[in-house]
Amino acid sequence: MNAPAPAELPVVVVGAGPAGLAAAAHLVDQGLEPLVLETGPAAGAAVREWSHVRLFSPWGEVVDPVAEKLLAPTGWTKPDPATYPSGGDWAAQYLEPLAGFLGERVRFGATVTGVSRTGRDRIVDADRETQPFVVHVHHADGREERIFARAVIDASGTWTTPSPAGASGLAALGEKSAADRVTYRVPDLRDPAVRARHAGRRTAVIGSGASAFTALAHLADLAGAEDGAGTKAVWILRRGISGSTFGGGTADQLPARGALGLAAKAAVDDGHADAVTGFRTEAIERDGSGRVVLVAEDGRRLEPVDEVIVLTGFRPDLSFLSEVRLHLDERLQAPVGLAPLIDPNQHSCGTVRPHGHRELSHPEQGIYLVGMKSYGRAPTFLAMTGYEQVRSVASAIAGDPESADRVELTLPETGVCGGAGLFDEPDDAERSGGCCAAPTTLRIGVGAPATASGGC
């Protein structure tokens, strides 16, 4: 069977999350036909898995402008732009209505298992760019399907591939066998079963970003509740505690994000969490009672804990893109044109300059990674970044280079953009003999500064 000409085909969008549905909205606005393929049973399936977590961006920054324009005639009303939605709010009040507007252009229970050029594996050069893309799909009912596309926008995110506990980027020894005690999500303590796992017990939280801050704050709230007596968090940090450990605080241009760091600091100050610094996890072992013991690369062993929450970031799943020619940075697994702009070794969110289709392009013309997936392992992504990306990409696919190149984006400054992928201390800090040089365990009492002696 001969494939149709590319111009007659839809643009396949992988993922019906915020970036994917925004991409579809922009394609419709450009007069193009999108086909959104979503693994889950509903719009924002990944977002719904953290429905209990509140976003640190307000409604005014998490609704795509073109999507809002398309929804307006349907009677949809945008929530108060100054208020902060939870993940559940975002899915129910915005993503679900947007998917409803798109109608049959969105297919649920459809998992993309492969993307290639029709009749060409990644080796073949001949007539490659004249061939449409072919997308293999596995449906929830067991059916398999082949779909031809003029272009492919991968907005599948990174939610399904969390980074492991091991400081080397590999799973810690014993991490998989301790799966009944290890989770990779901020716990929903409103769920009685989840609450029971943590109430009155010791929980290790591994990570240093917004998710770790949120988990620490939730556990501190539980410790202060009637049913939470004895609840304790052990906060595992690969680096030392410094002025930036708790994020941007009141100086953060996203106040809710700054408040997360302040809540984590309060959890430590109030004695609900002990901070263990300079601890690079190598192994997770069982003790005789079934509890788990974290072991560091330097041989230190912590006291047993009942649960481990690993919040060390995410990484992209590139397995279904193995037959297309991507050009990815060897460190971040982000497009090479974008990687220098978002490298957490060099940049915070506030220093990321505007970017669009050119930075997101690959040797394989017509395929784009957008949204969280475009950032690879970098932790600096914001929703409005994804919306501007898909605006530019949709214009490029529609053949409007002037609009595609007119990228405008201003990102808030923040102190929480450092990711788990950074080496934990600069060389000069270790040579200085300062407090950050030696791994320590500290408990910071009420009113005490959130630093060890020496001012790091």
Side-chain angles (χ1 to χ4, degrees):
M1 170 179 146
N2 293 326
E8 303 170 4
L9 297 171
V11 176
V12 164
V13 179
V14 186
L21 291 176
H26 280 272
L27 292 167
V28 169
D29 192 55
Q30 290 282 354
L32 301 176
E33 191 63 21
L35 177 59
V36 183
L37 303 174
E38 166 60 46
T39 297
V47 173
R48 293 172 192 270
E49 291 194 24
W50 48 271
S51 61
H52 58 294
V53 177
R54 192 161 300 279
L55 278 72
F56 49 64
S57 295
W59 272 113
E61 296 176 359
V62 298
V63 172
D64 177 79
V66 166
E68 181 179 356
K69 181 185 77 171
L70 296 178
L71 283 171
T74 70
W76 180 80
T77 302
K78 181 179 179 178
D80 181 352
T83 61
Y84 293 84
S86 66
D89 296 334
W90 202 16
Q93 298 178 42
Y94 168 59
L95 300 178
E96 191 171 317
L98 182 53
F101 168 84
L102 294 168
E104 294 183 357
R105 297 183 178 104
V106 183
R107 298 183 187 176
F108 299 109
T111 301
V112 173
T113 57
V115 178
S116 187
R117 289 282 188 180
T118 302
R120 309 289 188 275
D121 62 22
R122 66 182 296 153
I123 299 175
V124 179
D125 290 333
D127 299 323
R128 186 176 190 88
E129 291 183 2
T130 66
Q131 301 302 311
F133 288 96
V134 59
V135 180
H136 283 207
V137 183
H138 184 274
H139 293 274
D141 61 7
R143 290 183 299 115
E144 291 185 291
E145 183 181 10
R146 181 175 64 172
I147 297 172
F148 297 108
R150 64 181 293 173
V152 175
I153 300 176
D154 182 1
S156 60
T158 57
W159 178 253
T160 60
T161 47
S163 296
S168 62
L170 304 174
L173 299 178
E175 183 171 346
K176 294 179 182 179
S177 61
D180 61 318
R181 299 278 184 164
V182 180
T183 59
Y184 301 85
R185 307 287 186 252
V186 174
D188 183 359
L189 298 179
R190 302 170 307 176
D191 183 325
V194 175
R195 194 175 183 87
R197 288 184 63 164
H198 298 282
R201 310 179 84 184
R202 283 172 58 86
T203 298
V205 177
I206 304 176
S208 58
S211 294
F213 294 163
T214 303
L216 290 166
H218 287 186
L219 290 169
D221 287 343
L222 176 58
E226 289 185 7
D227 62 339
T231 301
K232 187 75 173 184
V234 182
W235 186 17
I236 310 299
L237 292 148
R238 294 173 182 170
R239 63 195 71 179
I241 288 185
S242 68
S244 63
T245 296
F246 298 99
T250 57
D252 197 318
Q253 289 187 15
L254 289 176
R257 180 171 51 192
L260 287 176
L262 296 177
K265 181 179 183 299
V268 176
D269 285 348
D270 295 343
H272 297 311
D274 290 341
V276 181
T277 63
F279 192 96
R280 299 181 175 92
T281 306
E282 180 177 79
I284 299 177
E285 300 178 355
R286 299 269 191 178
D287 70 1
S289 66
R291 302 172 82 198
V292 294
V293 176
L294 300 181
V295 183
E297 291 177 347
D298 61 9
R300 282 183 301 151
R301 304 169 66 87
L302 299 184
E303 293 181 14
V305 296
D306 301 288
E307 302 286 338
V308 179
I309 302 173
V310 181
L311 299 169
T312 54
F314 295 86
R315 53 188 59 178
D317 175 10
L318 302 169
S319 61
F320 61 87
L321 301 175
S322 62
E323 292 306 314
V324 290
R325 298 173 176 180
L326 303 180
H327 196 188
L328 300 176
D329 180 77
E330 68 271 13
R331 294 168 301 156
L332 297 182
Q333 295 179 296
V336 292
L338 176 60
L341 310 183
I342 61 173
D343 183 354
N345 291 287
Q346 305 293 330
H347 291 282
S348 71
C349 298
T351 62
V352 176
R353 71 172 175 80
H355 63 276
H357 75 109
R358 294 194 183 278
E359 290 83 0
L360 298 171
S361 64
H362 296 278
E364 194 81 70
Q365 295 182 22
I367 187 164
Y368 299 92
L369 277 59
V370 302
M372 190 71 202
K373 187 152 187 183
S374 72
Y375 271 45
R377 299 191 183 200
T380 53
F381 181 77
L382 296 173
M384 53 186 155
T385 305
Y387 296 154
E388 181 60 19
Q389 287 179 341
V390 299
R391 186 205 64 76
S392 175
V393 166
S395 295
I397 295 172
D400 185 352
E402 181 179 351
S403 175
D405 287 338
R406 192 176 60 249
V407 180
E408 299 176 1
L409 180 64
T410 302
L411 293 175
E413 294 179 359
T414 176
V416 296
C417 288
L422 295 172
F423 190 71
D424 307 308
E425 295 300 336
D427 291 342
D428 58 354
E430 295 197 9
R431 287 194 299 267
S432 72
C435 64
C436 297
T440 57
T441 302
L442 26 140
R443 172 171 175 180
I444 304 170
V446 177
T451 60
S453 59
C456 288

